[in-house]
Amino acid sequence: MPEAHTMITAATPTEASSSVQEKITYRAFVQAMAMIHLANNRKDKEQGDPKVGGHPASCASAMHILSALHLEVRQPQDFVCCKPHASPVDHALHNLLGLFRHDEHVDWFEDDPKARGQAYFTEEESKKAMEGLRRFPTEKNPHVFQSYHARTDADHFHFLPSGTVGIPPVVSGYLALAYRYAKDHGWDVPEGAHFWSLIGDSEFREGSLLEAMPDLAERMLGNVTWIIDYNRQNLDGTRIPNERGLEGTDAERIEKTAIANGWRVIQVRHGKIRTALFKKKGGDALKEVLESGLTDYEFQMLALKRDAEAIRTMIAEKHPGAKPLLKASDDDTILRMLLDLGGHCYDTIRDALAKSREESGEPYMIIAHTLKGWGLECLADPANHSTLPKGEEVKGLVESAGLSFDDPFAHFAEDTEEAKYLAERRDLFRQSMDEHADLQKRNKAKVREAIDAAGGIPDSLDIDLSLFPLAHTQWMWGQIAAKLVRLGSSITDQRQKGKEGGRRKTDGQGPDLTEHEKRWATAAEFVMTMSPDVGTSTNISSVLNERIYGPDRADGQLHEKLDVQYKHPELIATQDAWTRHIRFEIAEANAMTAVGSFGKMAHYAGLPFFPIMTVYDFFIKRALDQLYYSLYWGAEFVVMGTPSGVTLSAEGAQHSWKSDIQIPNLITWEPLYAIEVDWILSDAIKRSMMDDNEGRRGVLIRAVTRGVQQKTMIAQLKTQARYKGHDAGLLAPKGADWEGATDESKVATVPDEEILKGVRDDVLAGGYYLVDYRGYAGYEPGDNVVHIFAMGSLADGAIAASKQLLERGVYANVIHVSSPELLFGILGHQSGYEHLRTGLGIDGNMHLVPSGEADASGLAGLAGRRVPIVAVCDGEAGLLDNIGSIVGVRQETLAVRKFSKCGRPSEIFEYQHLDAASIVEACGKVLSETAMEDIKVSASTLNRVAGAAPQGGIGHWRELWPDAPKG
């Protein structure tokens, strides 16, 4: 076992000459600078455009770290997460390695990139792409690079998106966990993958990193390495930590933090020049000053000044024992010594990186001491974060690398040692990348074949609700989770059977699956759960019991040896294949990041893991950055936000605020009845397994712990004209004796199965009618009709309000919003709000009646009203407040607009004005405020309606927008 602290100080022999890699490194450095320069000096710049940027000084500090990683240490199966500002360095190295690759994400302007018959960029295509940093793609210049690593970059293979500092390194850690989980559960994944992250020293103050460190160590993820680019600067200038308060430099704080959290640490302080000097008389004193005598601020000022005599003076003052060595060294040696940091010594940083992948049980932290602005005139300048080298400096760099300013991105000549080395490395990666793509396809095909062979995934899990007349949606989630885990474990048992050393949960004694359950088994095996210490309080205790995944413990059976009895899920973690739950401490950010990492396994390995994270809805806010990252990344997952809103009335204000979360690639749901939870989750799982979830890969379901009578649903549906077995004419409410109308309860309905099929389609489209008076006698839109849109637990109050309003002569339809995203959000907008307008028939039509005789000018008079809307939601008004603006009618939204209190739901709903009485008042208000509008219709319009040709020579605006609605 190595010591907790290892000092890398000298180079070790390597098969390839270091000079070859150093020449490649320098050319890549120059090309990264040229890439940034061209991006900021484009001829097509428009007046007022902001600065393009590109962070050349930050790129320079990371140059040797990334070069050693890509040219020697990194293997094709590894993953890389690079600090955002250094992405041009990766692109420059990949340009020289020939690893730019065509695919559907990179080639925006090709219908079928594979039809080109060429997987990798030509040298000319690579050169052109290098000119496209931070440029929008066009047909003329289709291949571009985003500001920070992205999936649309031509070198995105096994690179994690990196625009958000503090999150991607944590993602890499949990991706390592996902790979281990897949292997422990019997799936085929590449062997030996290592997960590298390059992090800025200022970035290491991000709380997300500190929150994740103990967790990654506890999970013994020895294939994770975090590299700190310790350049002592941040965006605002030189970092000046209070070293008295920290009791040392920030590098020492980082080291102590890592060791305290179970990580191994390598400090990479010195290069070969320093190492040689340390062996001379006075070298020990010099080393002591460089490691602990100089503060970071003092070092930065000396590096900025670059005055040999000032360096001698300060070091001698710190330790007189260094005077003989300082006096014997010339000025050039003194300057080179000061700037000879380990992070810029290729051999030294390479050896540190190689050492970090040797340890299999503990993650590694490498603290690489570097210079921000290495190789540039702005070296160590406090203002260099945003400094762009001038043209003359860039031109000089390009020429110093033997390149032409007209062709700065050229590769090495084929007959050079550098070209031969790069070609060998290129071929290794290209072969492995192709093999990895084949493995992904094989795994994906294997899963699809198993699903198809079983008859496809059903529309429902068929949870038996007959014994639970009063149920809540969180309880239903627990039932579904338990069933999915049981079904998934059964097929895992079958796969483990016969494997050498394969342990099985049921030992063949589990109950046989029904035919319906067999159709679910393959998909269920990929479902897994996570929770930040809220599993038992959110109804998934059965999933936790003996199914926690994690490193095996030597004392895991202690409770049995001591004969300790308790009524609680067994939470001892194991690596056995039947485990299905990953347990977290109170660390929502960690759990949300892990959900995203596991949710990318279909993309990376063809294994469609479908993680479902249970979290108190209020605390989703703690992980919004991580949620956004996972959605941007294209991960597939479910967040079960439960309990949610002020419906969790006994908890008061601090657990109740529900935010409107609308982000691309996220679909949100809020079911009312238990069966809706089944339909929604079944649909989400099926879409994920069949890759039919574009634009909705992330799923947020908000549940509650307030029980609802489940029979209310079918009872309400049966009152609607659409579900009656035949046309009975106009209907009347049950027990009502209305002239010319039939009591609806006396009219037979279609079978329940047919009703549920229809309402399921509506639920999955975003909403359905719970109360629908269309087809009832006296129903007059524009006069006595209002639409109530209610979401989640508040819908039963809306039903009660509708009944009260009918007694006052108002027909209040109640529409339950199962998905605000599908009805009114991004997905709704993409469909033209189809279900809202067509499926539910909500519109802004004016319902007209004559208002008098035509006047002397020939204008006919009409008058009318539109149907107003009342929306009610347990959360921010933004969840539902745009319905009226979409269809063009008056809307009043009842929402949570103040901090809540403790109490029972009925009391809190009344306090927040979400109760039935408040809904009644809101309906009366919008009806009274929906003005009777007078309409004057011109004779020419009437003629046109009758088919006459329009008069006048001016064209009509509809010719410009022919698709505009005409009525």
Side-chain angles (χ1 to χ4, degrees):
M1 184 70 69
E3 296 178 357
H5 174 279
T6 306
M7 180 66 69
I8 298 293
T9 57
T12 55
T14 179
E15 293 182 5
S17 169
S18 292
S19 64
V20 170
Q21 288 95 333
E22 286 170 352
K23 288 178 181 177
I24 296 170
T25 298
Y26 189 70
R27 179 168 289 203
F29 164 67
V30 168
Q31 292 186 345
M33 297 303 108
M35 186 183 201
I36 296 168
H37 177 75
L38 290 176
N40 285 275
N41 292 276
R42 294 193 179 109
K43 294 179 181 179
D44 60 352
K45 183 175 181 179
E46 297 178 1
Q47 186 176 9
D49 280 354
K51 185 181 80 171
V52 174
H55 306 96
S58 292
C59 288
S61 71
M63 192 67 234
H64 295 82
I65 300 169
L66 291 172
S67 185
L69 186 64
H70 294 320
L71 295 180
E72 289 197 64
V73 182
R74 173 192 170 204
Q75 296 302 308
Q77 68 270 25
D78 294 353
F79 283 79
V80 179
C81 162
C82 180
K83 70 174 189 176
H85 298 154
S87 60
V89 174
D90 293 316
H91 301 323
L93 286 161
H94 291 144
N95 169 51
L96 294 173
L97 282 163
L99 294 180
F100 293 163
R101 185 183 178 103
H102 291 287
D103 68 23
E104 66 273 17
H105 303 291
V106 174
D107 297 284
W108 288 29
F109 291 91
E110 293 189 32
D111 294 332
D112 184 10
K114 297 177 183 177
R116 65 168 51 241
Q118 174 187 312
Y120 294 91
F121 281 28
T122 64
E123 184 174 347
E124 289 305 312
E125 285 179 320
S126 294
K127 291 179 183 179
K128 192 67 176 175
M130 290 290 287
E131 298 175 3
L133 178 65
R134 302 189 176 203
R135 168 182 269 169
F136 192 81
T138 63
E139 290 193 59
K140 183 180 179 181
N141 299 295
H143 303 124
V144 301
F145 290 101
Q146 297 300 303
S147 53
Y148 312 123
H149 284 294
R151 193 177 182 184
T152 53
D153 291 341
D155 56 350
H156 67 78
F157 178 78
H158 283 193
F159 263 76
L160 308 184
S162 58
T164 306
V165 295
I167 294 177
V170 183
V171 172
S172 73
Y174 288 117
L175 193 57
L177 181 65
Y179 265 65
R180 178 190 288 177
Y181 179 95
K183 182 179 179 181
D184 287 344
H185 285 71
W187 296 103
D188 190 7
V189 292
E191 293 286 340
H194 202 88
F195 298 80
W196 307 94
S197 294
L198 178 62
I199 305 167
D201 50 356
S202 184
E203 180 183 353
F204 192 71
R205 293 291 183 111
E206 286 275 356
S208 54
L209 299 175
L210 302 177
E211 184 174 302
M213 287 184 70
D215 195 53
L216 299 182
E218 279 189 275
R219 299 186 192 280
M220 302 182 70
L221 294 171
N223 57 341
V224 171
T225 298
W226 286 2
I227 310 151
I228 307 299
D229 181 0
Y230 193 78
N231 61 32
R232 297 160 304 283
Q233 291 185 243
N234 58 20
L235 188 151
D236 285 335
T238 302
R239 300 184 65 232
I240 312 176
N242 181 351
E243 294 176 345
R244 287 180 298 167
L246 294 178
E247 298 182 352
T249 66
D250 204 41
E252 292 166 340
R253 176 193 67 84
I254 294 172
E255 178 181 336
K256 288 184 284 188
T257 299
I259 292 174
N261 282 287
W263 290 56
R264 299 283 171 182
V265 179
I266 301 174
Q267 289 267 11
V268 185
R269 297 180 185 272
H270 312 298
K272 289 182 286 188
I273 295 173
R274 287 183 174 186
T275 302
L277 288 173
F278 293 158
K279 296 177 181 178
K280 298 182 178 182
K281 183 178 180 180
D284 290 341
L286 175 63
K287 182 179 180 182
E288 182 178 331
V289 173
L290 292 174
E291 291 188 0
S292 58
L294 288 175
T295 68
D296 282 352
Y297 181 64
E298 289 170 334
F299 176 86
Q300 282 298 111
M301 293 303 100
L302 290 175
L304 181 60
K305 179 69 174 176
R306 273 166 266 170
D307 181 288
E309 194 55 39
I311 296 169
R312 288 190 184 95
T313 300
M314 184 171 288
I315 292 177
E317 290 175 352
K318 299 283 186 180
H319 199 311
K323 285 183 179 180
L325 180 58
L326 296 170
K327 186 175 182 180
S329 302
D330 60 26
D331 286 358
D332 184 67
T333 300
I334 293 295
L335 290 172
R336 288 180 177 274
M337 173 274 298
L338 182 74
L339 302 181
D340 184 39
L341 298 180
H344 293 298
C345 179
Y346 182 91
D347 289 349
T348 302
I349 190 63
R350 178 206 58 218
D351 292 347
L353 293 169
K355 184 174 182 61
S356 75
R357 75 178 303 155
E358 296 173 2
E359 176 61 50
S360 61
E362 292 143 299
Y364 255 95
M365 175 82 73
I366 295 175
I367 305 171
H369 294 246
T370 62
L371 293 159
K372 192 165 185 174
W374 176 91
L376 298 173
E377 294 175 8
C378 66
L379 184 150
D381 190 321
N384 66 11
H385 183 85
S386 301
T387 298
L388 296 173
K390 290 183 168 54
E392 285 303 310
E393 182 180 359
V394 177
K395 185 177 181 181
L397 288 171
V398 170
E399 291 173 351
S400 71
L403 296 167
S404 164
F405 201 61
D406 295 327
D407 187 19
F409 305 119
H411 293 190
F412 287 96
E414 290 185 5
D415 59 348
T416 62
E417 291 300 312
E418 292 78 18
K420 293 175 184 177
Y421 181 87
L422 289 165
E424 183 178 348
R425 188 82 173 153
R426 175 200 67 203
D427 293 344
L428 169 68
F429 268 77
R430 286 188 177 185
Q431 179 181 347
S432 184
M433 289 162 72
D434 292 340
E435 291 172 351
H436 195 93
D438 290 340
L439 173 62
Q440 194 262 4
K441 291 176 183 176
R442 288 198 308 273
N443 280 338
K444 185 176 182 179
K446 184 177 180 180
V447 174
R448 292 281 181 89
E449 288 167 5
I451 290 173
D452 292 342
I457 300 173
D459 292 336
S460 166
L461 280 152
D462 281 358
I463 303 294
D464 185 2
L465 297 172
S466 61
L467 298 178
F468 303 94
L470 184 69
H472 53 72
T473 47
Q474 180 180 289
W475 170 87
M476 186 61 168
W477 154 234
Q479 300 300 302
I480 291 171
K483 185 166 187 176
L484 286 169
V485 166
R486 176 175 66 82
L487 299 181
S489 297
S490 69
I491 197 169
T492 299
D493 276 351
Q494 294 174 25
R495 287 198 302 106
Q496 290 292 100
K497 186 177 182 180
K499 283 190 177 182
E500 185 176 351
R503 295 173 60 188
R504 301 170 65 219
K505 178 69 175 171
T506 61
D507 295 322
Q509 302 304 311
D512 292 335
L513 301 185
T514 66
E515 291 303 312
H516 181 270
E517 290 175 335
K518 289 177 182 178
R519 293 174 60 192
W520 266 108
T522 297
E525 190 177 16
F526 288 98
V527 174
M528 53 184 300
T529 59
M530 303 180 186
S531 64
D533 196 34
V534 294
T536 58
S537 61
T538 53
N539 288 81
I540 59 170
S541 292
S542 60
V543 176
L544 275 62
N545 188 39
E546 296 186 316
R547 296 183 186 275
I548 306 293
Y549 175 74
D552 291 320
R553 293 180 60 96
D555 59 352
Q557 303 304 315
L558 181 60
H559 62 290
E560 294 182 1
K561 293 179 182 178
L562 297 177
D563 193 27
V564 176
Q565 304 293 325
Y566 52 82
K567 293 183 179 180
H568 196 271
E570 176 52 68
L571 302 179
I572 297 294
T574 74
Q575 291 177 245
D576 292 320
W578 63 73
T579 52
R580 288 294 184 275
H581 183 83
I582 296 182
R583 185 185 179 198
F584 293 87
E585 300 295 338
I586 303 176
E588 290 84 359
N590 286 349
M592 190 71 78
T593 305
V595 161
S597 295
F598 277 78
K600 283 295 287 186
M601 288 297 285
H603 171 74
Y604 287 123
L607 301 172
F609 288 114
F610 196 66
I612 304 178
M613 170 187 172
T614 306
V615 59
Y616 291 169
D617 185 85
F618 181 79
F619 297 118
I620 291 175
K621 300 175 185 65
R622 293 180 177 175
L624 275 179
D625 279 355
Q626 288 77 6
L627 173 61
Y628 180 90
Y629 183 96
S630 295
L631 294 168
Y632 171 77
W633 197 23
E636 304 181 38
F637 59 89
V638 172
V639 174
M640 184 66 66
T642 184
S644 65
V646 298
T647 303
L648 184 62
S649 54
E651 292 284 345
Q654 297 182 59
H655 281 192
S656 62
W657 190 269
K658 185 190 296 178
S659 297
D660 176 19
I661 301 175
Q662 190 173 134
I663 306 173
N665 206 28
L666 177 69
I667 184 169
T668 54
W669 300 93
E670 188 159 345
L672 169 61
Y673 296 105
I675 197 171
E676 294 179 50
V677 184
D678 185 351
W679 291 336
I680 291 166
L681 270 172
S682 296
D683 181 70
I685 294 169
K686 185 175 183 178
R687 285 178 178 274
S688 179
M689 296 297 141
M690 307 312 293
D691 200 22
D692 182 28
N693 55 359
E694 187 64 34
R696 52 191 294 176
R697 297 185 187 279
V699 181
L700 170 60
I701 303 174
R702 292 168 138 163
V704 297
T705 52
R706 178 175 180 250
V708 174
Q709 286 288 344
Q710 299 301 299
K711 65 182 181 181
T712 306
M713 181 188 204
I714 194 69
Q716 287 296 141
L717 295 172
K718 286 184 174 182
T719 66
Q720 300 176 20
R722 65 180 289 201
Y723 293 123
K724 296 302 182 181
H726 63 276
D727 185 4
L730 297 175
L731 298 177
K734 179 180 180 180
D737 185 15
W738 289 1
E739 184 176 351
T742 304
D743 184 329
E744 62 82 14
S745 66
K746 297 180 180 178
V747 180
T749 60
V750 299
D752 288 3
E753 295 77 13
E754 186 176 334
I755 296 175
L756 292 175
K757 182 181 183 302
V759 78
R760 174 187 173 275
D761 292 342
D762 283 348
V763 166
L764 297 181
Y768 64 97
Y769 280 93
L770 266 172
V771 177
D772 186 358
Y773 286 119
R774 292 174 299 177
Y776 275 66
Y779 184 84
E780 293 290 347
D783 180 24
N784 59 6
V785 176
V786 61
H787 297 312
I788 303 174
F789 283 79
M791 192 158 65
S793 180
L794 299 179
D796 59 348
I799 294 172
S802 177
K803 292 178 180 178
Q804 295 176 31
L805 286 163
L806 187 63
E807 295 173 358
R808 305 183 188 187
V810 175
Y811 292 76
N813 297 319
V814 177
I815 297 161
H816 178 244
V817 179
S818 53
S819 172
E821 178 60 36
L822 282 173
L823 272 190
F824 330 114
I826 295 172
L827 294 175
H829 181 268
Q830 290 173 358
S831 70
Y833 307 105
E834 180 180 1
H835 186 60
L836 176 68
R837 287 172 164 156
T838 303
L840 298 176
I842 306 300
D843 56 47
N845 291 345
M846 176 76 73
H847 298 272
L848 302 176
V849 294
S851 65
E853 300 295 331
D855 61 19
S857 63
L859 297 178
L862 298 171
R865 289 191 180 93
R866 295 175 173 84
V867 178
I869 289 171
V870 169
V872 55
C873 60
D874 178 1
E876 294 176 359
L879 289 161
L880 294 182
D881 68 353
N882 64 331
I883 314 169
S885 64
I886 291 171
V887 298
V889 301
R890 172 78 171 86
Q891 175 179 344
E892 181 77 10
T893 302
L894 304 181
V896 178
R897 300 181 187 272
K898 54 188 175 182
F899 295 123
S900 201
K901 305 286 185 184
C902 293
R904 61 173 56 91
S906 59
E907 294 169 327
I908 301 306
F909 291 164
E910 182 178 357
Y911 173 73
Q912 295 284 357
H913 304 296
L914 305 174
D915 58 319
S918 297
I919 297 172
V920 169
E921 288 303 309
C923 288
K925 179 181 179 182
V926 294
L927 279 170
S928 64
E929 292 179 357
T930 300
M932 178 70 78
E933 300 179 38
D934 288 327
I935 309 294
K936 298 297 182 181
V937 184
S938 68
S940 62
T941 298
L942 293 174
N943 289 336
R944 288 181 61 192
V945 171
Q951 298 177 349
I954 301 177
H956 198 274
W957 66 269
R958 288 192 185 279
E959 295 172 4
L960 298 176
W961 293 281
D963 295 330
K966 297 178 174 59

